[in-house]
Amino acid sequence: MKLLWLSHFIPYPPRGGSRQRSFNLIRHISAKYETHLIALNMQNETPERAAESSAELGKYCAEVQIWEPPYPWRGPRWWAQLALSPFYAQPYGCRALWSPQLDCRWRAALGQHPGALVHFDSIDLALYAPATRGFRKVLNHHNCESAMAERRAQKEPNPLKKAYLWQQARKLRRLEEAVCHEFDVNLTVSELDKQTLLARNPRAHCHVVENGTDTDYFHPSDTP
C-alpha cells in the first residue's frame, strides 16, 4: 500500500521535537507502507545539506522529493508577506507554504499515486487539501496550533506582536473548525491536545500518537 507524505519541512536530521516526531513516524510507517515523501525546504537548507537529508530519508522512503517553498523563509518577501498577513483570511503559515505552481505539482503527484493514503504533516498545509478529494487522508498536529498561538499571545508583552498573535490564533481556530473533520484521522501528540482540538471541532476524528524516545539510539552509557 502506498503512503504519500506531504511535509512542511525536511524531517531530517531528527533534532527538535517536530523533526524527531516526523522522522520516527516515517521510519516506522515505512515498514508497512511504500512511502513517498514530498518535503518543502521551509528552512532554506543548502542543496548539499538537502541532498544529505534526502539520502538518509531514502533509506525508509521509496521516493524523496524536496520542493522549494514559494519564497525563502525569513527572506525579504517572507517579511513583506508577513506584514500583509492581517489583510488575508488564511493564517500566515498556510499562505507562506502554498502557491498555484506548487499546487499544480501537488495535483500531478496525486495523479501518480491513485488510491494512496495521504498524510499532511501540519495544518499549515491545509490549502493543499482540496486536491485530495476522494483520497483517504491523515492530518498530523505537532501542537493544537490555535491553542499555542493563544498562549503565546497571552504571554507576549509587545502590544503589536500580541495583537498579531491573537489574530493568527483566531484564524487558526477557524481553520481547525473548518477542515479537521474532513480528514479521516487527526493525529495529536497528547490527550490534552486531542480534547482541545475536539473542543474546536467536535466532528473531527482524533487519535493520540504520543512522541516517544528511540531506545535503540538513546541507551545508558557505560561511561559515568
Side-chain angles (χ1 to χ4, degrees), residues 3-7 22 25-26 29 35-39 119 121:
L3 172 66
L4 184 58
W5 184 296
L6 182 62
S7 176
S22 297
L25 286 175
I26 289 171
I29 201 66
T35 304
H36 296 258
L37 171 65
I38 296 174
H119 175 103
D121 206 37

Side-chain angles (χ1 to χ4, degrees), residues 22 44 46 56 58 67-68 72 89 127 151 172 192 203 215-216:
S22 297
N44 300 335
T46 64
E56 288 295 326
W67 296 356
E68 292 302 318
L127 295 181
R151 289 195 297 272
L172 284 164
L192 175 60
R203 294 181 292 168
T215 54
D216 291 330

Side-chain angles (χ1 to χ4, degrees), residues 172-181 199-201 203:
L172 284 164
R173 184 163 184 157
R174 287 198 298 267
L175 184 62
E176 290 162 353
E177 292 169 350
V179 306
C180 287
H181 63 280
R200 273 104 165 104
N201 190 332
R203 294 181 292 168

Side-chain angles (χ1 to χ4, degrees), residues 71-221:
Y71 35 85
W73 184 56
R74 294 190 175 180
R77 189 177 171 193
W78 189 92
W79 288 111
Q81 290 294 322
L82 180 68
L84 294 172
S85 185
F87 302 102
Y88 290 88
Q90 301 91 354
Y92 179 61
C94 293
R95 292 194 306 105
L97 297 175
W98 186 90
S99 72
Q101 294 77 15
L102 286 182
D103 192 59
C104 285
R105 291 185 69 180
W106 172 239
R107 290 174 185 271
L110 290 168
Q112 293 171 4
H113 303 287
L117 175 64
V118 181
H119 175 103
F120 287 77
D121 206 37
S122 170
I123 199 168
D124 283 341
L125 297 164
L127 295 181
Y128 292 98
T132 60
R133 182 170 295 178
F135 285 82
R136 295 170 303 129
K137 48 188 177 288
V138 176
L139 177 57
N140 181 46
H141 300 264
H142 291 275
N143 305 278
C144 180
E145 298 296 341
S146 64
M148 187 171 71
E150 288 171 0
R151 289 195 297 272
R152 290 181 63 192
Q154 290 169 356
K155 300 292 185 181
E156 176 57 54
N158 184 298
L160 288 177
K161 289 183 180 180
K162 180 185 284 287
Y164 173 81
L165 287 168
W166 275 121
Q167 186 189 61
Q168 290 299 302
R170 288 193 296 271
K171 291 178 181 180
L172 284 164
R173 184 163 184 157
R174 287 198 298 267
L175 184 62
E176 290 162 353
E177 292 169 350
V179 306
C180 287
H181 63 280
E182 296 181 354
F183 289 81
D184 295 273
V185 181
N186 290 262
L187 303 181
T188 64
V189 301
S190 68
E191 184 65 27
L192 175 60
D193 277 6
K194 174 183 174 180
Q195 295 305 323
T196 304
L197 195 62
L198 285 172
R200 273 104 165 104
N201 190 332
R203 294 181 292 168
H205 175 62
C206 298
H207 186 73
V208 177
V209 177
E210 296 180 345
N211 289 336
T213 298
D214 183 350
T215 54
D216 291 330
Y217 181 83
F218 294 103
H219 54 82
S221 170

